[in-house]
């Protein structure tokens, strides 16, 4: 395969992140056997060298149009290629739109909005408009658009109308050989900065990089003999030096200008902390990976993809533009001693982003545009962005189908699910639904109780969503919650798109009021093309003739815990889940008190109230106290690290007093090698075989639950046997193992629709 990369400039002309990215990617592609050639702008004598991976250099002087024409001529001189990979719209637009590449399959890298960056530096409105028109023209002609982060994927959709099906989120790589830990003392000597602690900023000196904020934050710190080292050049250099002097910190700030790779690496090795203070338009932050690869921690701002990258890599984030907050965060980070363990963690994080993996991902993208293969296009709908069980399940499922389907999520509200889906490889947009309509409780689904304004808002939302679905034209709409099933199923019908309902609720009384049961069962026969349920019990309750059972995937962080050897130790029980009356925490506490009136066990209640159930949550500690077990019952509240809780648990009790649709925590407990106790109704009863991989008791029977808890507490061998069998059973619930089930349902729904002849990416 022959690929021509059209970039911006040689790094000899300007050592920006875009230019370094291109050179590193081309080197990695060549190492994997791809015939990769490059065309970039440069000066005479700035021609190719093997180390720079630059083949053809077009003169960089003249207007933007003339430079783009020269690039087109240079591309033409290379001859036929299989794929064009354009890294900058400004240099590639003539070749892509009217020149030598107009009929060549194209991949375009979106590493930032060129027009917006120009606006940020004070360009005229006409200049900004012209650049935006050029960008749009190039993106419209791309079969794939590669972005560095989920944040930039959203920007490409919102600002440039790029179809989500054309987007590929591929984080950048880092040269792990060039950027590596080394001798700090020698590195400090090499850059001429010794003594005290060093804070490093490697940035192009332009306003959006936030260096003015960094200098103000530096001036607020107690610096002692510390030094701030700024590496890079740009039009703001003189202004920044003047600001440092004005703030009285000029003697503690070193502006080193542009450095070669060896000295840049020395700076990372010498520093105690790297700061990335960007205030706008940051796609990922290549310097984050470079610093971590050298073993130096990073502090950055919550801007676009930078916040996403820092969270992914376990680094610190601070609000953009807030000098005081940045000052406090820097002081705290510097006080946390940089030792060998810190360096090891930083390096380990960077090692997940080698260029070989990035090049392999690009090879897959190139092959797909050459063959014209388009993955199944699925829009996922959810009414909430809170990380509840169903929302976590769909995020894991999306990760499982990565590469087999292209997923775009439309959420009715913003929240943490947005970032979780983006991390799983989906693109995400928020189409806000009126809060009064979105928050209608299950008990209000009744003609006499439903507020007319909420009903009107829902109807308007259905119309808006249908218009958006017509623009996107996916193959399938997948609804992930009961509310989204109703409004999303109606919108999909209006748009003429097949719909898959993923039912995660028991459609029966008393789980739902009778009018709601009638409504949902009636709609299930009209709105969805295919019904999917998280358990056989849930599917039966929907009341449709047939459907698919697709369980919720196991959290990949769940690992079998080591079996305790101290058989005489206090047995640790836990009940994990939202604090709600039907979830049975009251029953579990009562059974625990009955089973262990004189001690011998402990119970953790993990979870918090979510939907107006605070009074129930407040009653539970009172109950434990009245039963005389408050010293042995611990209320942990919401816990994000469920895997950590399960690792410290011997037996997990599932005590719901109504049939549970699935019981996510049951499969998680089994995967963690905990013995489980579940009721004999609903999804958990489908998961557990009594006496084989768990214990089953009659739902709501306190005495039977207490007896099961006593039996497990007194028999370590039984706990071990059930735990080992649970690990085997849970292995079939990984995201990868369940992905074929979900794909089968989507393909069935798509096949029932009218065949489509146009499967090319669309922009809307």
């Amino acid at each position: 395969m022959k690929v021509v990369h059209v970039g911006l400039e040689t790094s000899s002309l300007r050592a920006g992140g875009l230019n370094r990215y291109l050179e590193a990617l081309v080197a990695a592609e060549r190492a994997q056997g791809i015939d990769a050639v490059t065309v970039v702008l440069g000066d005479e004598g700035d021609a190719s060298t093997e180390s720079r991976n630059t083949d053809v250099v077009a003169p960089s002087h003249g207007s933007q149009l003339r430079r783009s024409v020269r690039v087109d001529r240079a591309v033409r001189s290379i001859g036929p290629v299989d794929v064009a990979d354009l890294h900058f719209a400004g240099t590639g637009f003539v070749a892509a739109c009217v020149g030598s590449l107009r009929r060549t399959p194209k991949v375009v890298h979106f590493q930032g909005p060129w027009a917006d960056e120009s606006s940020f530096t004070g360009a005229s409105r006409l200049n900004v408009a012209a650049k935006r028109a050029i960008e749009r023209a190039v993106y419209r002609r791309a079969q794939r658009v590669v972005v560095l982060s989920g944040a930039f994927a959203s920007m490409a959709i919102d600002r440039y109308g790029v179809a989500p099906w054309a987007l590929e989120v591929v984080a950048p790589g880092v040269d792990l050989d060039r950027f590596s830990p080394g001798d700090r003392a020698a590195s400090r000597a090499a850059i001429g900065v010794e003594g005290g602690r060093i804070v490093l900023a490697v940035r192009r000196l332009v306003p959006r990089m936030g260096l003015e904020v960094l200098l103000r934050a530096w001036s607020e710190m107690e610096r002692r003999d510390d030094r701030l080292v700024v590496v890079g050049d740009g039009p703001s250099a003189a202004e920044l030096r003047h600001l440092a002097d004005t703030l009285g910190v000029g003697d503690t700030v070193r502006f080193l200008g542009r450095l070669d790779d060896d000295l840049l690496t020395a700076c990372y090795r010498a520093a105690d902390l790297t700061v990335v203070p960007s205030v706008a338009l940051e796609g990922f932050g290549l310097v984050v990976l470079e610093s971590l690869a050298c073993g130096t921690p990073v502090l950055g701002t919550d801007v676009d993809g930078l916040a996403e990258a820092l969270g992914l890599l376990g680094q610190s984030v601070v609000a953009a533009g807030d000098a005081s907050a940045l000052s406090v965060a820097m002081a705290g980070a510097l006080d946390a001693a940089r030792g060998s363990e810190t360096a090891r963690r930083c390096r380990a994080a960077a090692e997940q982003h080698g260029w070989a993996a990035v090049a392999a991902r690009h090879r897959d993208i190139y092959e797909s545009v050459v063959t014209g293969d388009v993955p199944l296009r699925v829009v996922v709908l959810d009414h909430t962005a809170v990380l509840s069980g169903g929302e976590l399940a769909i995020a894991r499922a999306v990760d499982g189908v990565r590469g087999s389907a292209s997923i775009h999520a439309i959420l009715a509200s913003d929240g943490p699910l947005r970032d979780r889906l983006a991390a799983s490889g989906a693109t995400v947009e928020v189409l806000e639904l009126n809060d009064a309509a979105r928050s209608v409780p299950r008990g209000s689904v009744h003609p006499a109780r439903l507020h007319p304004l909420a009903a009107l808002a829902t109807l308007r939302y259905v119309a808006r969503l249908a218009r958006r679905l017509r623009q996107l034209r996916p193959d399938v709409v997948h609804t992930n919650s009961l509310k989204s099933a109703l409004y999303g199923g109606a919108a999909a019908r209006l748009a003429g798109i097949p719909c898959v309902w993923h039912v995660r609720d028991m459609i029966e009384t008393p789980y739902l009021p009778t009018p709601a049961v009638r409504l949902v069962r009636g709609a299930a026969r009209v709105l969805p093309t295919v019904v999917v349920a998280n358990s056989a019990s849930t599917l039966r309750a929907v009341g449709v003739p047939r459907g698919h059972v697709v369980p919720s995937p196991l959290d990949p962080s769940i690992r079998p815990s080591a079996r305790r050897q101290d058989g005489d130790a206090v047995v640790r029980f836990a009940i994990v889940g939202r604090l709600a009356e039907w979830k049975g925490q009251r029953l579990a506490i009562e059974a625990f008190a009955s089973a262990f009136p004189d001690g011998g066990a402990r119970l953790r209640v993990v979870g918090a109230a979510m939907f107006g159930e605070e009074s129930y949550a407040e009653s539970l500690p009172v109950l434990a106290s009245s039963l005389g077990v408050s010293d042995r019952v611990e209320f942990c509240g919401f816990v994000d690290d469920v895997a950590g809780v399960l690792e410290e648990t011997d037996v997990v009790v599932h005590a719901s007093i109504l049939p549970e649709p699935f019981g996510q925590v049951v499969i998680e407990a089994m995967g963690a090698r905990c013995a489980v106790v579940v009721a004999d109704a609903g999804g958990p009863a489908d998961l557990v075989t009594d006496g084989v991989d768990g214990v089953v008791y009659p739902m709501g029977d306190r005495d039977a639950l207490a007896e099961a808890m006593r039996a497990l507490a007194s028999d370590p061998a039984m706990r071990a046997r059930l735990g080992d069998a649970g690990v085997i059973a849970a292995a079939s619930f990984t995201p990868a193992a369940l992905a074929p089930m979900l794909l089968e349902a989507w393909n069935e729904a798509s096949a029932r629709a009218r065949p489509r002849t146009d499967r090319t990416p669309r922009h809307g």
Side-chain angles (χ1 to χ4, degrees):
M1 180 180 294
K2 187 171 185 177
V3 180
V4 60
H5 291 264
V6 179
L8 177 55
E9 306 149 320
T10 63
S11 59
S12 300
L13 186 65
R14 182 166 66 179
L18 187 154
N19 300 331
R20 299 209 313 278
Y21 176 101
L22 170 60
E23 292 169 357
L25 176 60
V26 169
E29 288 184 355
R30 288 176 175 171
Q32 296 188 9
I34 298 174
D35 184 5
V37 295
T38 64
V39 175
V40 294
L41 298 170
D43 294 329
E44 188 175 351
D46 195 24
S48 69
T49 65
E50 188 175 348
S51 63
R52 291 297 181 189
N53 302 302
T54 302
D55 297 282
V56 181
V57 177
S60 62
H61 59 275
S63 68
Q64 182 63 56
L65 178 61
R66 293 184 66 183
R67 285 182 287 177
S68 189
V69 169
R70 293 191 195 112
V71 166
D72 180 42
R73 291 173 184 162
V75 171
R76 197 180 301 274
S77 71
I78 293 172
V81 296
D82 297 299
V83 180
D85 191 340
L86 310 180
H87 292 254
F88 182 62
T91 54
F93 79 96
V94 169
C97 298
V98 297
S100 54
L101 299 176
R102 65 188 182 280
R103 292 189 176 91
T104 302
K106 285 176 280 294
V107 174
V108 177
H109 278 74
F110 176 78
Q111 295 195 13
W114 182 34
D116 289 351
E117 290 173 5
S118 298
S119 177
F120 204 88
T121 57
S124 69
R125 294 177 63 182
L126 181 61
N127 180 282
V128 171
K131 289 177 177 177
R132 195 177 302 282
I134 288 171
E135 289 179 290
R136 286 181 177 273
V138 172
Y139 299 146
R140 277 201 303 270
R141 288 163 174 80
Q143 280 70 45
R144 295 289 190 279
V145 176
V146 177
V147 295
L148 301 177
S149 62
F152 265 25
S154 297
M155 187 180 294
I157 293 169
D158 296 342
R159 299 191 191 181
Y160 292 95
V162 175
W165 327 117
L167 285 163
E168 299 281 354
V169 180
V170 185
V174 61
D175 188 333
L176 295 168
D177 294 324
R178 176 177 296 167
F179 298 101
S180 61
D183 188 295
R184 292 184 70 197
S187 298
R188 290 184 170 212
I191 64 174
V193 181
E194 300 184 55
R197 300 172 299 183
I198 295 177
V199 174
L200 175 68
V202 181
R203 303 272 73 193
R204 177 157 168 73
L205 308 189
V206 294
R208 72 178 181 86
M209 296 300 183
L211 292 168
E212 177 184 328
V213 179
L214 175 58
L215 289 174
R216 296 188 183 280
W218 185 253
S219 71
E220 296 179 14
M221 289 180 59
E222 182 181 343
R223 295 175 300 279
R224 295 175 289 183
D225 56 349
D226 301 333
R227 294 289 182 271
L228 172 63
V229 175
V230 180
V231 175
D233 58 12
S236 299
E239 180 182 341
L240 291 169
R241 286 189 175 91
H242 177 70
L243 177 61
D245 291 336
T246 301
L247 294 171
V249 295
D251 59 332
T252 66
V253 181
R254 293 285 304 278
F255 290 91
L256 299 186
R258 177 180 166 185
L259 301 178
D260 62 28
D261 289 335
D262 290 339
L263 285 177
L264 177 58
T265 302
C267 287
Y268 287 127
R269 292 171 175 170
D272 295 273
L273 176 69
T274 296
V275 178
V276 188
S278 303
V279 294
L281 306 177
E282 191 69 71
F284 190 92
L286 189 57
V287 297
V288 174
L289 288 175
E290 293 173 349
S291 178
L292 294 176
C294 293
T296 301
V298 180
L299 169 66
T301 55
D302 59 352
V303 170
D304 300 326
L306 178 59
E308 193 175 316
L310 293 167
L312 182 68
L313 295 163
Q315 302 301 296
S316 301
V317 182
V318 69
D322 188 333
S324 296
L326 180 58
S327 177
V328 171
M330 281 195 296
L334 287 172
D335 289 340
R338 177 188 163 183
S340 58
E341 179 59 24
T342 299
R344 186 197 64 77
R345 286 199 305 267
C346 291
R347 176 71 182 183
E351 286 174 347
Q352 304 302 310
H353 293 270
W355 275 111
V358 178
R361 181 78 183 278
H362 279 75
R363 175 194 287 276
D364 292 342
I365 295 170
Y366 299 152
E367 289 176 350
S368 71
V369 301
V370 168
T371 61
D373 290 342
V374 178
L376 193 72
R377 300 167 299 189
V378 181
V379 165
V380 170
L381 303 178
D382 206 316
H383 78 282
T384 181
V386 175
L387 291 178
S388 191
E391 286 62 48
L392 290 169
I394 193 62
R396 293 167 192 153
V398 167
D399 193 55
V401 301
R402 192 193 297 251
S404 300
S406 180
I407 310 297
H408 181 66
I410 301 179
L411 305 179
S413 64
D414 206 350
L417 178 60
R418 180 174 190 157
D419 290 340
R420 187 67 67 94
L421 285 168
S424 296
T427 55
V428 188
E429 67 177 285
V430 176
L431 190 67
E432 289 279 357
L433 172 61
N434 179 281
D435 188 61
R438 188 171 50 80
S439 303
V440 172
R442 291 197 299 248
S444 296
V445 183
H446 189 289
R449 297 177 187 170
L450 188 61
H451 197 285
L453 292 180
L456 180 60
T458 302
L459 291 174
R460 288 175 175 170
Y461 188 78
V462 168
R464 288 173 60 207
L465 180 58
R467 284 196 299 271
R468 182 59 177 145
L469 292 176
R470 290 191 197 100
Q471 292 174 334
L472 294 171
R473 295 168 64 192
D475 298 305
V476 178
V477 170
H478 180 100
T479 66
N480 190 58
S481 64
L482 194 55
K483 290 176 183 176
S484 67
L486 295 172
Y487 70 67
R493 277 287 181 186
L494 287 174
I497 298 166
C499 176
V500 171
W501 271 20
H502 202 146
V503 183
R504 304 181 187 276
D505 299 275
M506 297 298 287
I507 312 303
E508 61 186 17
T509 56
Y511 188 91
L512 290 174
T514 300
V517 171
R518 291 172 180 162
L519 172 64
V520 175
R521 287 181 177 173
R525 299 176 183 275
V526 177
L527 297 181
T529 314
V530 171
V531 173
V532 166
N534 58 3
S535 70
S537 295
T538 304
L539 185 59
R540 286 192 295 270
V542 179
V544 292
R546 59 184 299 271
H548 295 255
V549 175
V550 182
S552 298
L554 179 66
D555 182 348
S557 69
I558 302 293
R559 294 287 186 272
S561 57
R563 188 180 299 134
R564 289 204 296 171
Q565 303 300 318
D566 50 346
D568 295 330
V570 171
V571 179
R572 304 165 300 187
F573 288 82
I575 179 168
V576 182
R578 192 180 93 226
L579 299 188
E581 189 164 2
W582 73 274
K583 288 284 190 179
Q585 288 89 1
R586 175 179 292 274
L587 176 67
I589 295 170
E590 290 174 346
F592 176 80
S594 175
F596 310 106
D598 302 317
R602 298 188 67 84
L603 173 66
R604 275 183 163 184
V605 179
V606 180
M610 292 181 63
F611 304 114
E613 292 156 321
E614 287 76 14
S615 61
Y616 171 74
E618 292 166 0
S619 74
L620 296 176
V622 176
L623 172 66
S625 178
S626 69
L627 295 173
V629 293
S630 58
D631 59 329
R632 290 183 284 123
V633 176
E634 178 184 1
F635 294 91
C636 302
F638 174 79
V639 174
D640 190 51
D641 182 18
V642 174
V645 171
L646 295 177
E647 189 174 347
E648 299 174 351
T649 299
D650 299 304
V651 181
V652 168
V653 176
H654 198 270
S656 297
I657 58 176
L658 295 177
E660 179 89 27
F662 179 68
Q664 179 71 39
V665 72
V666 174
I667 203 66
E668 290 175 344
M670 295 168 79
R673 196 180 268 119
C674 299
V676 297
V677 183
V678 304
D680 62 352
D686 296 336
L687 297 172
V688 175
T689 301
D690 188 30
V692 176
D693 48 23
V695 176
V696 180
Y697 72 97
M699 175 172 285
D701 190 329
R702 187 195 66 183
D703 294 337
L705 177 56
E707 178 56 34
M709 295 170 77
R710 270 194 301 268
L712 285 167
S714 63
D715 194 340
M718 180 183 181
R719 295 199 303 271
R721 176 172 55 81
L722 296 179
D724 289 342
V727 171
I728 296 171
S732 60
F733 289 85
T734 65
L738 297 177
M741 299 181 187
L742 195 54
L743 289 167
E744 180 184 358
W746 288 343
N747 283 315
E748 179 184 327
S750 180
R752 291 190 192 179
R754 184 175 60 190
R756 288 206 180 116
T757 57
D758 180 11
R759 292 290 306 277
T760 57
R762 298 171 180 85
H763 300 260

